[in-house]
Every structure is written in C-alpha cells, then in structure tokens.
Amino acid sequence: MLLTVLSFALLIQTPQGAPRTIAIDEAFASQAHLKVGDRVTLSARPDTPADSAEVVIVGAIARRGADPSEVARGDYVVRMHLDQLQRIAGYGDRVDRFAIATRPSADVGRTLEQINHVAFGFRAYRSKDIAVETSRTFQVVSRFHRAIGIITIVASSIFLLCIMVLKVEERRRDIAALRLMGISRLSVVRSIVIEAGLVAVLGSVLGIVIGWVVSLVVNWHYQALYRTPLYFSIITPSIVAFAVALSLVLGIGAGLVASARLARTPPLALFGR
Amino acid sequence: MTAPSGASVGAVRDVPTARASIVSLSDVHRDYPIGAELVHALRGVSLEVERGDYVSIVGPSGCGKSTLLNLVGVIDQPTSGTVAIAGKRVDAMTDREATSFRLHNIGFVFQRFYLMPTLSALENVELPMAEAKVSARERNARAAKLLEYVGLGARQHHRPSELSGGEQQRVAIARALANRPALMLADEPTGERDAKTGAEIIALFRQLNADGTTMIVVTHDEDLANAARRKIHMRDGRIVQE
Ligand SMILES: Nc1ncnc2c1ncn2[C@@H]1O[C@H](COP(=O)(O)OP(=O)(O)O)[C@@H](O)[C@H]1O
Ligand SMILES: [Mg+2]
C-alpha cells in the first residue's frame, strides 16, 4: 500500500461486480458524508468516461496521524491498492518515496549507509532529518514564539520589580517602626525576601494551573478543528521547572532589591519626618 | 567614661551600674544640616534620669523634644556631647550595636502605633521577642500576659484593623514592653486620641512606672505631663526649667 495524495472526483454509484476497498481519511469522510461500506467511483479527472472509472467501497476511515505537516492541509487522503492507483493515474510502476520502519534496537546509521551504498537511484534519510527539512516553517514560527516569550518575560520582570519596589515602599513606615523597635536589617530583608519567595511560588503554581487549563482548551479546540491527535500546546516538566525557577529568581531578586534599599536607609529617615 | 566599642550589647536591666542614673546626657548638641544652613535642634542639653523615675518633657513645637528623645532612644546620634544609657555610651554605636541595644533595653511608643497589619495583636507583641530569640512557648505566654496587662486579654487574636485606636495604642505599648526594657520612651502617645483613651494611657503609664519601668514621655497633653514625677520644660533646644 502506498500513501499518496491526489485530487479525485467523486460519484456515489450503484453496485456492480465485486469492488475493492479503499481507505479515506476522517476529514474527507466527514465532508463528503461518507461512511464505511459506501460505494464510490474513482477517476483521475472529473470528465473521465464511466467505463474507465473504478468503483470501490470505502473499507476504512483512517484517523490522521500526529504529523505537523498534515495538520493544516486541505488535501484529502485516499489509500488504495497500488495496482488500482496505477491504473487510474495512468502512471507506471514507479515509487517516489517509501518508508522503512526499523526495530528499536537497529543501528539506523549503518542501515542508512548500507541502503545508500547498494540502492542505486535512492537516497535514504532518517525521518528526523526529513522532518527537519520539511519543518523549516515551524522552526521559524517557533523561533518567533521564543522571541515573543523572551520579550514578555523581560517586560514582566521589569514590571514585577517596579511593583515590588512600590509594594515595599508602601511599607516604609512599618519597616521604620520595626527598625526602631530593634529589628535588625537582616531580619527585615529576610522576612520580605521570604514573603516574596512565597508569593513567587504561589504565583508560579497558579500560573502552571492556568497554563495547564489553557493548554487543555487549546488542544481540545485545535484537535477537533484539524481532526488530529497532535498536541498544539504542551507543558513539560522542564517548562514547569523553568517557570518556577524563573519566578523564584525574579521574586527573590525583586524582594532583595526593594528591601535592601529600605533597610539601608536610617529608620528615622524612613519616617520621612 | 569611654565608649566600650565592640563590646557585646545585652539586657541591662539587672546589671547594677555605678550611678543610679539610667539616662545621662552631657552637653549634647544636635545640628541638622538644611542645605548650607545648620538647624540647632539641641544646644547643649545635660540631663540625668534616675532608674525608676517618671519624666515628662514639655515645650513648644519645634523646641527639640523629639530630637532629645531620639538620642535617648539610640535611634539618632548627637553632633557633640555624650549620651549614656544604663552606664553604656550609646552616642557612637554602629547601626548593628544600636539596633541590638534598642531591642533589649528600650521600649518605644509613638503617636502612631505602626502595628503590622497582617499580624494579630498577640503576634505583634511576640515580634520583638522573636527577634531576641525568645523561645516560641515563652513568647506566646509572655505576649498573652502583656496583653492582659494592658487590658486586652480578650483581644489577643484580633488584627489591628479590628481594634479601636486606643486598643491599638495599648497593643503598641505591650509590644514596647516585650523584651522587658529598663527604659520606656513615648513621643506624644496620646496625640490625636480622644480623652478617654488619653486617660487610659495615663493610667497604664502610671502602672508601668509603679511596676519599675523608667518612663520618659514627650507630650503636649497637660494631664499626661502632670502624671509624671518630674516635668522638664524645653525651649529652643535647651532645658529651661524643671
Ligand atoms: N531630620 C531633621 N532634619 C532637619 N531638621 C530637623 C529634623 N528633625 C528635627 N528638625 C528640626 O529640629 C527642631 C526640633 O525638632 P523636634 O525635636 O522634632 O521638635 P519637637 O519634637 O519639640 O516638636 C525643629 O526646628 C525641626 O524642624
Ligand atoms: Mg516632636
């Protein structure tokens, strides 16, 4: 069986002979209102005479694979027997591309070498390398996303620092009173930093929960829209770790900067007389 | 007397000193530079306060009362002259020494109370004890006792926002007493407060003094000033009359 993408004209037909089966993809099935067991006529062109068209039965409806390159495609995919395809297409016994699955234990590098050595006219690539080639667009898009992410993080860090300084500034008099009571600078800074750290942890937990919910909604929506099992948004442990670490560093850093500023000021000056 | 710089700063209440004075100021000047000018807030103040005394300081606004109290409270340093508290020179302490000295020896009460808004009355009183590394159990017991002492036994777990102004001031007084200071300083403690609250504070201070705490109170309030055993008048940065 060969996977090929073609444009087909379609006609619902009456039974004749013993038709063979084809498999069509889910999106196609739902748009053409086809179900398993339906008879269809296949031909390479809309104006093909009825006697050279093939009558087939829809034998299976295939779900789409988790292939990013398929997601946005408007094409319909039909799988059929190779000889039938050749007959309809009027296209000889030729194959452009085929895939070889290897066992997990196989040495892919050596296999590639061997194929490339013996198979004249073919060139074997790792699927990974092909994926890289075919996903250049995705890479550009994801680099763009990363840039947006970095800008967002930088901007919000500055925002956070300002908020923190303002929030701590609001407590000038409280801090002054603490210092006058005999609470040391270290204790003042420590308590503010601990508070900032707790807020940061709480914030990142909240952020992760919100992110997780949003990502569920995004996946649910786009998986339905594109009829694909592909995940559009994922939250990995490394993303979670990064988010928590970043917010801790930012929160504690901002708390330190803000509280150290005030703790350095003599308590009487904090009261602003 | 020489400044014992670098010496450890501990509680002085039970340390007997050569003199009976707990506060000893000698020819103290305090100038504030305002631009190129100097404001002479104190112009040669000498003062001795005995242990267990109750002193009020009165005088027109701007005569240097708060400046004097801040020097005695080790939150400010004189331009010249010496300040000794409980026999210890405090006029040239480092910030760290001064902070620790205040924690263990001095209780402050201000016009405004500056309680921590997120902490309960009890926790506010426990705060200076926590800083002084008093165990949690003792902290709790002592803070409860202090709140009872100021008449807020039933309000221990209220936040400052749930207390009246007078009640908040009493929490602040309990907090000032947390580490059993030998010296209690109050700057306009009844200012902005109604007569009933004023009377409560006067009674509380009297009780405190009767129980052995040395009190120095700066006030405009005639009744509060007259409650003291000793009344000091200031004018223009000087003590003019006792
Ligand atoms: N931090 C300061 N900077 C400049 N001048 C000050 C400062 N603190 C007090 N002064 C001045 O010193 C004088 C005495 O002030 P203060 O001790 O607060 O007076 P009182 O408490 O008796 O009203 C006033 O003239 C006041 O303006
Ligand atoms: Mg004043």
Side-chain angles (χ1 to χ4, degrees), chain A residues 173-174 177-185 187 267-268 271 273, chain B residues 70 75-76 95 99 102-103 108 110 114 116-117 127-128 131 175:
Chain A
R173 280 158 184 276
D174 289 340
L178 286 175
R179 299 276 292 117
L180 293 188
M181 254 192 276
I183 309 294
S184 69
R185 284 177 185 173
S187 297
L268 271 183
F271 269 115
R273 296 239 10 151
Chain B
N70 291 345
I75 57 182
D76 193 14
D95 179 81
T99 303
R102 291 196 295 270
L103 180 68
F108 270 107
F110 300 95
Y114 303 116
M116 297 298 120
L127 204 63
E131 178 76 5
R175 181 180 65 180

Side-chain angles (χ1 to χ4, degrees), chain A residues 190-209:
Chain A
R190 196 199 294 133
S191 70
I192 290 178
V193 167
I194 288 174
E195 191 180 323
L198 285 178
V199 169
V201 168
L202 215 79
S204 43
V205 167
L206 201 73
I208 288 162
V209 169

Side-chain angles (χ1 to χ4, degrees), chain A residues 67-81:
Chain A
D67 180 354
S69 62
E70 273 182 18
V71 161
R73 264 194 195 155
D75 303 335
Y76 299 134
V77 177
V78 174
R79 293 173 185 222
M80 65 186 78
H81 296 279

Side-chain angles (χ1 to χ4, degrees), chain A residues 137-149:
Chain A
T137 326
F138 291 103
Q139 282 181 353
V140 171
V141 169
S142 88
R143 235 173 265 153
F144 192 62
H145 282 167
R146 187 161 305 156
I148 293 175

Side-chain angles (χ1 to χ4, degrees), chain A residues 273, chain B residues 32-34 39-41 59-68 187 218:
Chain A
R273 296 239 10 151
Chain B
Y32 292 110
I34 298 283
V39 176
H40 304 289
S61 182
C63 71
K65 305 183 296 291
S66 296
T67 303
L68 177 61
D187 197 345
V218 165

